[in-house]
Amino acid sequence: MPNAKAGPSRLEQKLRAEITGNVFFDRFNRGRYATDASFYQVIPAGVVVPRTMDEALRALAIARDDGRIVTPRGGGTSQCGQTVNAGIVVDFSKHLNRIVSLDVEARTCVVEPGIVLDDLNRQLRKHGLWFPVDVSTASRATIGGMAGNNSCGGRSLRYGTMRDNTIAIDAALADGTLAHFGEVPRDLGDVSAPDGARALFRDMLALGEREAAEIADKFPKVQRRVGGYNLDALTPRNAANNMAHLLVGSEGTLAFSTRIELKLWPLIRTKVLGVCHFGSFYQAMDAAQHLVKLKPIAVELVDRTMIGLGRDIAMFQPVIAAAVRGDPDAILVVEFAEETADDNLAKLKQLSELMGDLGFSWSNEISKWGGVVEISDPALQTAVADFRAAGLNVMMSMKEAGKPVSFVEDCAVPLPHLADYTARLNEVFARHGTRGTMYAHASEGCLHVRPVLNLKLEKDVKAMRAIAEEAFAMVREYKGSHSGEHGDGIVRSEFHEQMFGSRILADFKEVKRRFDPANVLNPGRIVDPPRMDDRSLFRYPPDYRVDDIKTVLDWSAYPGAAGGFQGAVEMCNNNGACRKLDGGVMCPSYRATRDEKDVTRGRANTLRLAISGQLGPGALSSDEMMETLKLCVSCKACRRECPTGVDMAKMKIEVLAARATTHGLTLRDRLVAYLPRYADMAARFAPLVNLRNHVAPLRALMERVAGISARRKLPAFRSDTFRVDADAFGPADGREVVLFGDTFNRVYERENLDAALRVLIAGGYRVHVPKPTDGGRPLCCGRTFLSAGLVGEAKSELQRLVETYAPFASRGVPIIGLEPSCLLTLRDELLSLRNDATAKTISAHALLLEEFLAREAESGRLALPLAPLPGKALLHGHCHQKSFAAFKPVEQVLRLIPELEVETIESSCCGMAGAFGYGAETYEVSLQMAEASLLPAVRKADAATFIVADGTSCRHQIQDGANRGAVHAAQLLAMSLERGRAST
């Protein structure tokens, strides 16, 4: 990658002068836009993120005048390389994402191309409408990108493709001409358009008329045909000659879309799923042609590999346990959405009868083993849909050098041939020494098929080429389409001549030349492409290397250099699940800024480029890398919610450690990291230390010298820290537990530890509060040291903790904590720092208070005399609780309190995130994160409502941002006990 230290080019200067949005020419940002969800990497010359459509068009004009090519980009989730190119990338997704107009009665809307599908549907839902091209990447795919690819979605059986649901497109041609692409009469009689656009329309309709017979002969007769240009939209047989349909599927090569008019549909009101099980994959594929006769809206395949991988991913384990029976070789998820619930139940009955008629039974031998699991519960239906939609990422979660590779992924064949096609395809894979994964749209004969290959190896690249040629030949034999959903890009454009013939290929080239004679718009895609196996265009080119850098954490679960750190970083497949804007926690910084730099994908790409030397020497510990990670709040949501398990919080520790080694620590780093070492001393002088919160000049001074925002109050030290004289409390014969007094609750909010102690004693437990075996300062988990990259100091703290708690853990005593970030360090980072048996035993016995109480309640051992606490509790979950599936127990335990109504806030990160929210440079973003959902919900709550948050930082954010006090769940439990005692 060229050195970014050179002065700005004339092009960069011109763009910066006329664009108010972001203009990037540095190598870090260019690198983040060099990849999409394909295996290709092409470094752009620059990136523009326009604020307005006028700025986007101005960027096009400036780049064109400078002789640069331009590539429009939405979510960057394309799987064929169509959103990467060597010129100027224009990112529509940050700002150009509005609904321009909505006609509810006509069921149409006009949108900007950067709007995300899920965001559009959230806004349409209140009107009883939705846009039904429901691609699996709906949480980040933009409408402009979907139009560019002619996306299809899982329910195309009923709703059709993007082309079927696009009414019109306003677009700019490469020369800047603005035109409306929609239905036109063949004589163009009443079309109002610039002369250049009228002439273009006339030429395109003439081409369609001239080539009508060839198009009818050569275009595949399957719905899932998205390869090449849609010349069939131009032929005389069309009742409506819609010029927009020529732009749909054109991958940004013909025009620059500015507005897109869409056809909308009524919301699905009621639906059911029938999960059809098969002991034989071949039998499942053969059955698909029969199942579609019941007119479902979708039939989706999940194969054995995906089920197995899903069982290893925490977020998917519950749905697989509920929806999958036994050990099927494949399941077909059949979805019905009839007018009434009774109609849906009747369809399920017909489905079971049909499976029986086809010879399937739960009692049969493997080849005909099977049956139907019926799912009517909406929550479980959503969970099944989410699992299927995550298919790509689930498949990519394999922790091995080879990964399922997309290149024959969405071939479509007529349903009667599907079983034979997949069987022959598996034989092709085996001949080339690999295996394949298959999932998705069985209803359309369009399976997402991915052979497992390591594209860093020349032999696997050659195997990919051979598999592609053999697979596409089979598709042509079955009169299918080699491109059935995800477009052409680099990976499939090369094969258009074999698919369509030389005459149609010449027509494609004529269309491109007529629209874009100077070849400005995304060249090399659809026509005149490079070879799909040109390794110079790969994410891992032949000279790709990662130095065996020294790491501080254990990455041995992954392959590659640096003890596996390389493999962990490369788990990111760029599919962009981290770009979702709603639901779950990931990625809170991206939700606040909408910048590629601040999303897990952008950070992982930057790390990959850094450790492979593509960002220059010292990149891992550079200022630019710290800027990349500055807004990462280490929420650990990606650890759980990223289906490939990219753990950016853990990777950030490696970067911080490298940074600390080469650049040392700032004053703020030291104040945060060493808090456990000086906290007790500060508590002795609490009134003096706390003066900073009350004296404005001291706040200003601390901001100048330590970078701690003057607009924040720091947690107040107190003189009465949590101290106990005895080593144990409660009945001598009670079940043993250990109470871990973390630094934050011990020094700042001892009432939480006091409450937890009262609750455990009331439950009849023998509570140990052991003093450190070395007789020194109180125990600490090392969390603050990890946040500064001081891994050695964290190890030292954990060593003291392990030595103290080991005797208890060895005899099965639970270790109970209150602060999620501290207690869960024992379940996470402890095992990355040491993997000995003692550490593993302690990790296995570490539980948050509510986890322990919920487990006791489920086993019938909990005997807490809880009294009614009439009222409402509004509950916010700490990010680490959610990451470790430890939040649900908080809800369960609070609901044990009689007459207490518990409502959970659907919130992402609170934004305080330890010390993050106190930083002068991160204060504003911290509040933005909180304002997304948490603070508005708290403000709406009446004064009598309890606000509950287990995280110390969460409680402080709520106090600062909403002026409401929040309490730990332990306090509500203790309050309930006290009321019971008082009434007695």
Side-chain angles (χ1 to χ4, degrees):
M1 198 181 296
N3 195 317
K5 297 298 184 183
S9 65
R10 188 179 67 83
L11 173 61
E12 180 181 354
Q13 291 175 329
K14 181 75 170 171
L15 286 168
R16 290 191 184 282
E18 301 197 29
I19 305 294
T20 64
N22 297 121
V23 175
F24 299 124
F25 275 75
D26 65 286
R27 57 188 172 186
F28 276 70
N29 276 300
R30 287 162 51 224
R32 285 187 272 267
Y33 281 87
T35 48
D36 53 16
S38 70
F39 53 84
Y40 296 107
Q41 174 175 294
V42 182
I43 305 295
V47 179
V48 175
V49 186
R51 289 187 180 276
T52 66
M53 193 58 70
D54 283 345
E55 285 193 355
L57 296 177
R58 189 68 193 134
L60 169 62
I62 292 170
R64 181 188 64 236
D65 292 346
D66 196 68
R68 298 282 187 168
I69 64 174
V70 177
T71 298
R73 177 167 164 135
T77 61
S78 296
Q79 294 181 34
C80 305
Q82 53 264 66
T83 60
V84 294
N85 221 319
I88 301 300
V89 170
V90 180
D91 182 352
F92 286 79
S93 65
K94 181 172 181 177
H95 298 295
L96 305 178
N97 49 29
R98 299 176 304 127
I99 295 179
V100 177
S101 64
L102 170 65
D103 188 331
V104 175
E105 186 174 344
R107 296 180 186 164
T108 64
C109 70
V110 177
V111 301
E112 291 179 323
I115 192 168
V116 170
L117 175 59
D118 272 358
D119 191 32
L120 169 63
N121 278 331
R122 273 192 291 273
Q123 297 179 63
L124 294 175
R125 191 173 297 125
K126 61 188 174 186
H127 302 289
L129 299 172
W130 76 311
F131 186 67
V133 185
D134 55 339
V135 294
S136 61
T137 52
S139 63
R140 59 272 194 200
T142 63
I143 293 296
M146 291 169 61
N149 290 348
N150 192 9
S151 297
C152 300
R155 298 185 176 98
S156 61
L157 198 61
R158 171 176 290 185
Y159 298 107
T161 67
M162 192 73 193
R163 171 180 169 179
D164 299 317
N165 292 279
T166 299
I167 298 171
I169 297 176
D170 289 343
L173 300 178
D175 65 3
T177 300
L178 297 174
H180 178 78
F181 290 76
E183 290 189 10
V184 297
R186 292 200 73 82
D187 62 4
L188 301 178
D190 58 354
V191 173
S192 175
D195 291 343
R198 282 181 64 88
L200 177 65
F201 295 167
R202 183 175 59 251
D203 290 349
M204 290 300 100
L205 292 172
L207 184 151
E209 188 165 349
R210 182 188 81 215
E211 300 294 333
E214 187 74 4
I215 291 168
D217 182 50
K218 294 298 173 63
F219 272 45
K221 308 300 189 292
V222 291
Q223 184 197 48
R224 293 301 190 97
R225 196 277 307 157
V226 303
Y229 294 126
N230 290 323
L231 303 185
D232 54 332
L234 304 173
T235 62
R237 70 178 184 83
N238 288 288
N241 306 288
N242 195 324
M243 302 306 295
H245 292 175
L246 187 57
L247 296 187
V248 174
S250 65
E251 301 184 356
T253 63
L254 301 183
F256 219 60
S257 298
T258 60
R259 292 185 176 186
I260 303 172
E261 185 177 2
L262 304 172
K263 175 183 177 182
L264 306 178
W265 294 70
L267 277 172
I268 295 175
R269 296 298 181 184
T270 177
K271 61 182 179 181
V272 291
L273 301 181
V275 182
C276 298
H277 289 55
F278 300 88
S280 158
F281 184 88
Y282 183 92
Q283 292 292 342
M285 296 301 91
D286 189 57
Q289 60 184 308
H290 305 291
L291 300 183
V292 297
K293 294 174 183 176
L294 296 178
K295 297 187 177 179
I297 64 172
V299 180
E300 296 285 287
L301 165 68
V302 178
D303 76 350
R304 173 184 293 278
T305 301
M306 185 170 166
I307 294 169
L309 290 169
R311 282 177 169 145
D312 290 333
I313 299 173
M315 66 186 296
F316 296 129
Q317 289 165 356
V319 62
I320 294 174
V324 179
R325 178 173 170 179
D327 185 29
D329 206 33
I331 60 174
L332 292 176
V333 181
V334 184
E335 183 176 22
F336 297 104
E338 301 299 308
E339 288 295 321
T340 69
D342 287 343
D343 290 338
N344 281 328
L345 293 177
K347 285 287 188 180
L348 281 180
K349 183 179 179 183
Q350 292 174 31
L351 180 64
S352 292
E353 291 171 350
L354 177 57
M355 286 287 286
D357 292 342
L358 294 173
F360 296 100
S361 169
W362 296 117
S363 59
N364 285 349
E365 294 299 315
I366 289 178
S367 66
K368 282 292 185 175
W369 174 88
V372 181
V373 172
E374 299 181 359
I375 299 178
S376 300
D377 175 52
L380 184 54
Q381 289 178 17
T382 299
V384 170
D386 289 345
F387 175 56
R388 213 304 293 152
L392 166 60
N393 284 323
V394 171
M395 295 301 191
M396 296 299 285
S397 68
M398 295 178 178
K399 293 180 180 178
E400 56 188 77
K403 292 287 192 294
V405 180
S406 172
F407 61 101
V408 292
E409 165 157 286
D410 55 341
C411 298
V413 298
L415 273 181
H417 301 301
L418 185 59
D420 286 338
Y421 167 67
T422 53
R424 290 175 63 188
L425 202 54
N426 278 323
E427 292 173 3
V428 170
F429 296 159
R431 270 201 311 277
H432 293 284
T434 187
R435 67 193 190 280
T437 63
M438 300 187 186
Y439 65 99
H441 317 304
S443 57
E444 298 282 8
C446 180
L447 298 184
H448 293 338
V449 178
R450 290 183 164 227
V452 177
L453 297 167
N454 180 0
L455 295 188
K456 295 172 186 168
L457 305 177
E458 178 66 23
K459 70 177 184 65
D460 280 20
V461 175
K462 289 181 177 177
M464 177 180 72
R465 176 85 197 187
I467 290 170
E469 291 175 351
E470 293 180 47
F472 294 157
M474 269 195 287
V475 169
R476 293 194 298 275
E477 178 186 334
Y478 290 124
K479 301 190 183 305
S481 171
H482 69 325
S483 187
E485 179 172 25
H486 295 149
D488 300 328
I490 301 172
V491 80
R492 274 187 285 273
S493 296
E494 177 189 351
F495 298 95
H496 285 338
E497 185 168 10
Q498 297 173 27
M499 185 77 234
F500 297 102
S502 56
R503 182 169 171 177
I504 292 293
L505 181 64
D507 293 335
F508 290 164
K509 291 183 177 183
E510 180 180 339
V511 170
K512 172 65 173 173
R513 283 194 304 270
R514 187 62 185 83
F515 268 83
D516 181 21
N519 210 24
V520 171
L521 295 175
N522 208 23
R525 312 299 177 258
I526 299 182
V527 301
D528 299 320
R531 283 176 61 91
M532 60 89 75
D533 54 340
D534 180 351
R535 293 187 69 191
S536 69
L537 301 175
F538 282 18
R539 194 181 305 182
Y540 306 116
D543 60 349
Y544 182 85
R545 299 287 185 276
V546 172
D547 291 335
D548 204 11
I549 57 178
K550 182 175 176 56
T551 55
V552 295
L553 302 177
D554 179 11
W555 300 96
S556 60
Y558 299 90
F565 184 53
Q566 173 189 356
V569 170
E570 292 173 359
M571 287 299 293
C572 177
N573 65 8
N574 268 32
N575 201 250
C578 43
R579 286 173 63 98
K580 64 183 179 180
L581 300 173
D582 190 55
V585 177
M586 177 179 73
C587 178
S589 51
Y590 175 73
R591 294 182 186 190
T593 70
R594 304 286 181 91
D595 287 334
E596 184 70 19
K597 169 178 71 69
D598 299 319
V599 72
T600 304
R601 178 180 76 176
R603 294 173 182 131
N605 272 323
T606 308
L607 282 169
R608 177 180 54 80
L609 293 166
I611 64 176
S612 59
Q614 297 179 72
L615 298 177
L620 191 64
S621 58
S622 66
D623 292 343
E624 294 94 336
M625 183 62 75
M626 289 307 297
E627 183 66 23
T628 300
L629 290 171
K630 182 174 74 174
L631 300 187
C632 173
V633 294
S634 296
C635 64
K636 300 191 182 185
C638 50
R639 176 189 175 276
R640 177 178 175 82
E641 295 178 28
C642 171
T644 61
V646 173
D647 190 344
M648 190 51 58
K650 188 175 173 183
M651 293 177 190
K652 184 178 180 180
I653 293 172
E654 288 289 354
V655 175
L656 292 170
R659 178 79 176 181
T661 299
T662 57
H663 292 78
L665 298 179
T666 66
L667 176 57
R668 185 172 68 200
D669 289 336
R670 293 183 181 279
L671 288 172
V672 172
Y674 285 92
L675 172 65
R677 304 262 176 95
Y678 67 76
D680 286 275
M681 178 65 72
R684 295 179 191 174
F685 303 96
L688 181 62
V689 176
N690 293 336
L691 271 179
R692 177 264 174 204
N693 284 348
H694 310 292
V695 179
L698 288 178
R699 286 191 181 200
L701 177 64
M702 202 162 187
E703 180 168 316
R704 273 200 313 276
V705 301
I708 295 175
S709 175
R711 291 176 284 182
R712 284 281 193 197
K713 280 189 174 182
L714 291 174
F717 286 97
R718 51 200 293 174
S719 301
D720 61 332
T721 58
F722 179 78
R723 298 188 190 91
V724 292
D725 295 326
D727 289 337
F729 302 85
D733 60 348
R735 187 175 175 217
E736 292 182 292
V737 298
V738 169
L739 180 61
F740 170 35
D742 64 273
T743 300
F744 304 104
N745 282 300
R746 188 175 57 76
V747 173
Y748 299 127
E749 298 179 83
R750 68 160 295 169
E751 58 272 14
N752 295 330
L753 287 164
D754 291 332
L757 190 56
R758 291 199 301 274
V759 168
L760 291 168
I761 292 171
Y765 299 98
R766 181 67 171 172
V767 186
H768 298 278
V769 190
K771 295 184 174 54
T773 55
D774 62 7
R777 64 185 180 279
L779 296 173
C780 164
C781 69
R783 170 97 257 142
T784 58
F785 290 110
L786 292 173
S787 71
L790 298 177
V791 175
E793 299 294 345
K795 281 184 177 178
S796 175
E797 295 298 331
L798 283 167
Q799 173 64 22
R800 299 175 67 243
L801 185 147
V802 167
E803 288 177 352
T804 304
Y805 289 164
F808 298 95
S810 66
R811 62 176 191 265
V813 177
I815 299 165
I816 297 172
L818 301 187
E819 172 58 39
S821 62
C822 292
L823 185 282
L824 293 171
T825 298
L826 308 186
R827 298 235 288 264
D828 189 8
E829 287 88 355
L830 172 60
L831 299 183
S832 294
L833 294 171
R834 50 186 293 177
N835 59 4
D836 56 281
T838 304
K840 290 177 181 177
T841 302
I842 286 175
S843 180
H845 288 87
L847 294 167
L848 288 166
L849 174 68
E850 296 91 345
E851 288 184 292
F852 172 73
L853 295 177
R855 194 171 72 178
E856 292 290 280
E858 288 171 3
S859 66
R861 292 193 297 262
L862 187 64
L864 278 177
L866 297 170
L869 204 60
K872 182 177 179 180
L874 193 60
L875 175 62
H876 164 70
H878 188 284
C879 295
H880 292 189
Q881 285 176 317
K882 295 172 182 175
S883 176
F884 287 85
F887 179 55
K888 187 64 68 176
V890 186
E891 298 174 312
Q892 293 170 335
V893 168
L894 288 179
R895 290 191 173 108
L896 295 176
I897 300 175
E899 298 181 28
L900 180 67
E901 178 190 350
V902 180
E903 179 183 334
T904 298
I905 304 171
E906 293 299 324
S907 53
S908 179
C909 178
C910 74
M912 187 62 88
F916 177 85
Y918 296 103
E921 77 282 8
T922 52
Y923 171 80
E924 294 290 350
V925 173
S926 167
L927 285 184
Q928 279 181 264
M929 293 181 189
E931 291 291 355
S933 54
L934 172 60
L935 294 183
V938 171
R939 293 189 192 106
K940 288 179 184 176
D942 61 46
T945 297
F946 298 107
I947 310 298
V948 184
D950 278 1
T952 301
S953 57
C954 305
R955 294 191 292 274
H956 283 262
Q957 182 77 302
I958 291 167
Q959 179 65 59
D960 276 9
N963 198 28
R964 287 287 298 269
V967 298
H968 192 286
Q971 289 209 51
L972 283 192
L973 293 169
M975 191 183 303
S976 173
L977 290 172
E978 293 300 327
R979 290 203 177 185
R981 289 197 185 102
S983 64
T984 302

